[in-house]
Amino acid sequence: MNELIESRRCFNGEQRRYRHRANTLSCDMQVSVYLPDQAKSQPLPAVYWLSGLTCNDRNFVEKAGAQRIASELGLILIVPDTSPRGEGVADADSDSLGQGAGFYVNATEQPWRAHYQMERYVTDELVQWSADTLPVNDKRAIAGHSMGGHGALTLALKHPHLYTSASAFSPISHPTECPWGQAALSAYLGEDPQLWLQHDACVLLQSKRSHIPMRVDQGLADPFLTEQLNPQALEKAAQVHQAPLAMHYHDGFDHSYFFVASFIETQLRFHHHYLR
Amino acid sequence: MNELIESRRCFNGEQRRYRHRANTLSCDMQVSVYLPDQAKSQPLPAVYWLSGLTCNDRNFVEKAGAQRIASELGLILIVPDTSPRGEGVADADSDSLGQGAGFYVNATEQPWRAHYQMERYVTDELVQWSADTLPVNDKRAIAGHSMGGHGALTLALKHPHLYTSASAFSPISHPTECPWGQAALSAYLGEDPQLWLQHDACVLLQSKRSHIPMRVDQGLADPFLTEQLNPQALEKAAQVHQAPLAMHYHDGFDHSYFFVASFIETQLRFHHHYLR
């Protein structure tokens, strides 16, 4: 099953929504796609956007204003949901675990492992789905916000052959050392912290020699800055291991989509430089 | 009571939300305000935005991406709710009547008249509130979407001393002749269609010699185009009565905020030309 369920004109392109059967997740998934008109004459590069806790595929599409720049630059935006969904999919009475909070890992533990395979979904099935469904070329970037910023950085570091560049707004930079990350990783992967290390951008920067260009934007009025996000740990790991990370702090900005909207043009231009 | 309840950095300015006691409406109201940093050094002109059916003060703020341009041009955006709200405020089991659907008129009928005084609220109390609360100068424009487009055009035509220019996306252009308009105007003003005429932009263009510059953007894939919106009637009335209306039709665009987002820059630049 692969169905176009909505298409609306937006700037010089179409804001679409698809529903498809995700075999990796054993459920149906919705994916939002922005398709610039340039795609009518040539295949285009794609930017995958991973959203944060409690979001689905619509928050970024409705609130970031990214279509304007994607239309100008000729970038296809591919925005998956943040977890498997639906009846029969395990859930938790929490904003930071279960549906809406897949953390972009492949769960090994019960009751999650039957559906929560978000790393495989994003890096394998969704890439293949895009090639089958959309006029994409073979250039890809990955970006995200908060939990999705964690996803973008870790997936790019683990799968560098897939992405030319990675960026994040307000990422959960060091999830093995923060409450959101520890709760989710222990639930999805088990209690042994050794099992979490491959899903922490700071740790991945130590273990892999990364050449992928990365950009992070972080608001300094973000209420989660110290307890959950810890961008300084990421900055330090990149410095120690000489990874190309451009870290940008912004006075006064918080964790909301008002921050994302304010700098999405900058991030998309960053990716466009490498995707050309 | 006049309280700043939220302020978030957005582009070069602050996206704020206030709660204040609205005496005209006999209830508390929320108002969203975008305040560009230029307001720190000088008073700025204001664009009032009136939203459509089912909306409150947040839809435009979250979905239109207007802050980017307002910040560049130095325009304060003032976005009221679409009706009185709260317990004790009459409501209807309908998307097009009652809370979320005030139609920017002063109701004379029961059970509406105690609170539904949206014309007085927008043209009188909100203007005074803005002068008391915000660093506005005495230049104002008014714009809106759908029901709010109707509001922007009719309030500008009835109160030309208040506004330098008016614009609308997909306005309910001829409410005395469409189902949404007839249902609302008969409920709020009574069954006699003569009482509705002062709330119909097409009729107002006939009865008043208007010099206020107006711009309308209308998508041609709008599902409400023929039955509810009827922009051709507005275009014709403006031609017959030589009113300065620039009507712009757009292939493929529908009634959503994806349309508003695509052309809000154009409309704000239109207003800025007259507000300078």
Side-chain angles (χ1 to χ4, degrees), chain A residues 6 8-11 15 58 61-63 67-68 251-254 256 258-259 261-262 265, chain B residues 6 8-11 15 58 61-63 67-68 251-254 256 258-259 261-262 265:
Chain A
E6 193 177 307
R8 298 175 186 272
R9 189 108 190 112
C10 184
F11 291 92
Q15 181 59 56
R58 299 308 279 175
V61 161
E62 295 182 351
K63 295 184 171 181
Q67 295 94 343
R68 179 179 63 87
D251 271 340
F253 285 90
D254 68 9
S256 70
F258 294 117
F259 174 47
S262 300
E265 175 166 359
Chain B
E6 192 179 308
R8 298 175 186 273
R9 189 110 190 112
C10 183
F11 291 92
Q15 181 59 56
R58 298 308 279 175
V61 161
E62 295 181 350
K63 294 183 171 182
Q67 296 94 342
R68 179 180 62 87
D251 272 339
F253 284 90
D254 68 9
S256 70
F258 293 117
F259 174 48
S262 300
E265 176 167 359

Side-chain angles (χ1 to χ4, degrees), chain B residues 50-240:
Chain B
L50 307 182
S51 293
L53 293 170
T54 76
C55 291
N56 62 19
D57 62 306
R58 298 308 279 175
N59 304 67
F60 177 76
V61 161
E62 295 181 350
K63 294 183 171 182
Q67 296 94 342
R68 179 180 62 87
I69 313 128
S71 144
E72 177 194 326
L73 300 177
L75 301 173
I76 294 175
L77 304 176
I78 301 175
V79 184
D81 203 343
T82 56
S83 77
R85 297 271 182 188
E87 281 186 51
V89 174
D91 201 2
D93 187 19
S94 164
D95 278 350
S96 53
L97 189 68
Q99 295 189 31
F103 263 84
Y104 306 103
V105 302
N106 299 327
T108 56
E109 301 303 293
Q110 296 287 19
W112 311 107
R113 66 188 188 196
H115 298 281
Y116 285 73
Q117 302 292 323
M118 286 297 288
E119 178 176 352
R120 287 203 294 139
Y121 174 63
V122 171
T123 60
D124 186 352
E125 187 166 10
L126 193 62
V127 169
Q128 189 59 51
W129 176 87
S130 304
D132 293 344
T133 308
L134 304 170
V136 290
N137 65 24
D138 63 352
K139 298 279 195 184
R140 284 169 225 98
I142 191 162
H145 174 233
S146 194
M147 176 186 73
H150 144 76
L153 298 176
T154 56
L155 297 187
L157 288 166
K158 293 182 74 178
H159 306 273
H161 57 291
L162 287 177
Y163 308 106
T164 63
S165 49
S167 71
F169 288 89
S170 330
I172 301 174
S173 297
H174 198 10
T176 59
E177 298 291 338
C178 79
W180 281 342
Q182 290 168 341
L185 296 174
S186 63
Y188 294 139
L189 304 174
E191 295 294 337
D192 180 0
Q194 288 295 315
L195 299 168
W196 310 344
L197 299 178
Q198 290 300 301
H199 304 281
D200 183 311
C202 293
V203 178
L204 289 167
L205 281 171
Q206 293 165 29
S207 62
K208 298 185 187 278
R209 183 157 296 277
S210 172
H211 301 290
I212 190 167
M214 293 185 293
R215 178 187 170 102
V216 168
D217 289 277
Q218 175 63 58
L220 290 173
D222 188 323
F224 305 114
L225 182 60
T226 310
E227 189 186 5
Q228 303 285 4
L229 305 178
N230 199 357
Q232 287 93 342
L234 187 72
E235 200 175 7
K236 188 175 170 193
Q239 280 166 356
V240 169

Side-chain angles (χ1 to χ4, degrees), chain B residues 225-274:
Chain B
L225 182 60
T226 310
E227 189 186 5
Q228 303 285 4
L229 305 178
N230 199 357
Q232 287 93 342
L234 187 72
E235 200 175 7
K236 188 175 170 193
Q239 280 166 356
V240 169
H241 302 282
Q242 300 180 314
L245 168 68
M247 174 71 74
H248 294 266
Y249 294 102
H250 302 277
D251 272 339
F253 284 90
D254 68 9
H255 200 69
S256 70
Y257 265 92
F258 293 117
F259 174 48
V260 175
S262 300
F263 294 96
I264 190 66
E265 176 167 359
T266 307
Q267 282 208 3
L268 288 182
R269 290 190 187 281
F270 164 81
H271 290 297
H272 182 244
H273 176 77
Y274 300 100

